[in-house]
């Protein structure tokens, strides 16, 4: 009687099978780690004020391509929605950045440092142009004015901006955006004061 040894009991075959199994498990483990690291990518940073202002300017012009016919434009400092006679470094720089963004979209911006250029009638909530703005508009032959307000929340600053026709305060374009309230933004708000 002849005995034929089974291949499974052969030591070389057993080692080869074990190695293949081990390599397969190792590859599965590595693939699992790669999937987990791909899913745990860090979140992209929040857009900054400049990015948001440029998007808002694009939105305004896209919403009303005729807006660029109301050149030149002058820019008023953005004000605190809770106290319309008060602004801050944030309000001043927001106005400057927004004016720059609109200039890149085709608006002609006249450089004017304005004081007391706008207010909102508190009971009605209507945008009103003061006599000083009308006088400056006339002096600089401005056909439109950039205005804006901002409000501080717990985690974000909310900005509402619009371009109005200087002759009758008709809104030609508007956009809203929110900026992450980080330490940088808080420091810009600390310089509260009149404009």
């Amino acid at each position: 009687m002849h005995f034929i040894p089974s291949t499974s009991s052969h030591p070389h075959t057993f080692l080869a099978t074990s190695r293949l199994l081990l390599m397969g498990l190792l590859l599965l483990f590595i693939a699992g780690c790669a999937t987990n690291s791909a899913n745990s990518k860090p979140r992209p940073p929040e857009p900054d004020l400049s990015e948001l202002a440029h998007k808002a300017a694009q939105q305004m012009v896209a919403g009303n391509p005729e807006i660029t016919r109301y050149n030149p434009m002058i820019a008023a400092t953005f004000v605190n929605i809770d106290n319309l006679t008060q602004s801050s470094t944030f309000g001043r720089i927001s106005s400057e950045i927004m004016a720059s963004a609109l200039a890149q979209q085709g608006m002609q911006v006249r450089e004017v440092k304005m004081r007391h250029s706008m207010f909102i009638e508190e009971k009605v909530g209507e945008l009103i142009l003061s006599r000083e703005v009308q006088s400056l508009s006339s002096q600089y032959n401005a056909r439109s004015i950039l205005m804006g307000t901002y409000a501080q929340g717990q985690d974000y600053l909310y900005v509402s901006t619009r371009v109005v026709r200087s002759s009758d305060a008709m809104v030609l374009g508007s956009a809203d955006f929110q900026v992450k309230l980080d330490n940088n933004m808080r420091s810009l708000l600390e310089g509260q004061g009149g404009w």
Side-chain angles (χ1 to χ4, degrees), residues 29-157:
F29 176 75
I30 291 169
C33 289
T35 304
N36 285 339
S37 68
N39 291 339
S40 62
K41 282 184 183 174
R43 293 178 63 190
E46 297 266 353
D48 66 12
L49 179 59
S50 182
E51 279 180 79
L52 293 165
H54 280 81
K55 284 180 185 172
Q58 289 171 357
Q59 181 185 329
M60 277 190 192
V61 175
N64 179 11
E66 298 292 303
I67 196 171
T68 54
R69 292 180 54 204
Y70 293 92
N71 285 321
M73 179 188 81
I74 55 178
T77 298
F78 291 4
V79 293
N80 183 338
I81 193 72
D82 293 324
N83 183 348
L84 300 167
T85 63
Q86 186 180 64
S87 189
S88 61
T89 304
F90 175 81
R92 289 183 286 275
I93 195 63
S94 297
S95 171
E96 296 280 337
I97 292 172
M98 194 69 209
S100 174
L102 282 164
Q104 289 183 25
Q105 293 296 314
M107 294 296 290
Q108 295 171 9
V109 182
R110 287 260 164 88
E111 181 65 27
V112 181
K113 295 299 180 200
M114 295 169 35
R115 291 180 59 79
H116 308 296
S117 58
M118 65 165 274
F119 67 92
I120 295 176
E121 196 174 298
E122 293 190 24
K123 290 181 184 174
V124 183
E126 233 179 304
L127 186 66
I128 305 293
L129 300 179
S130 73
R131 290 179 186 168
E132 186 175 346
V133 173
Q134 290 169 343
S135 170
L136 281 168
S137 298
S138 188
Q139 181 183 344
Y140 289 92
N141 196 27
R143 298 183 64 208
S144 59
I145 302 159
L146 170 66
M147 300 179 169
T149 53
Y150 61 88
Q152 182 176 346
Q154 183 173 337
D155 298 314
Y156 288 90
L157 270 173

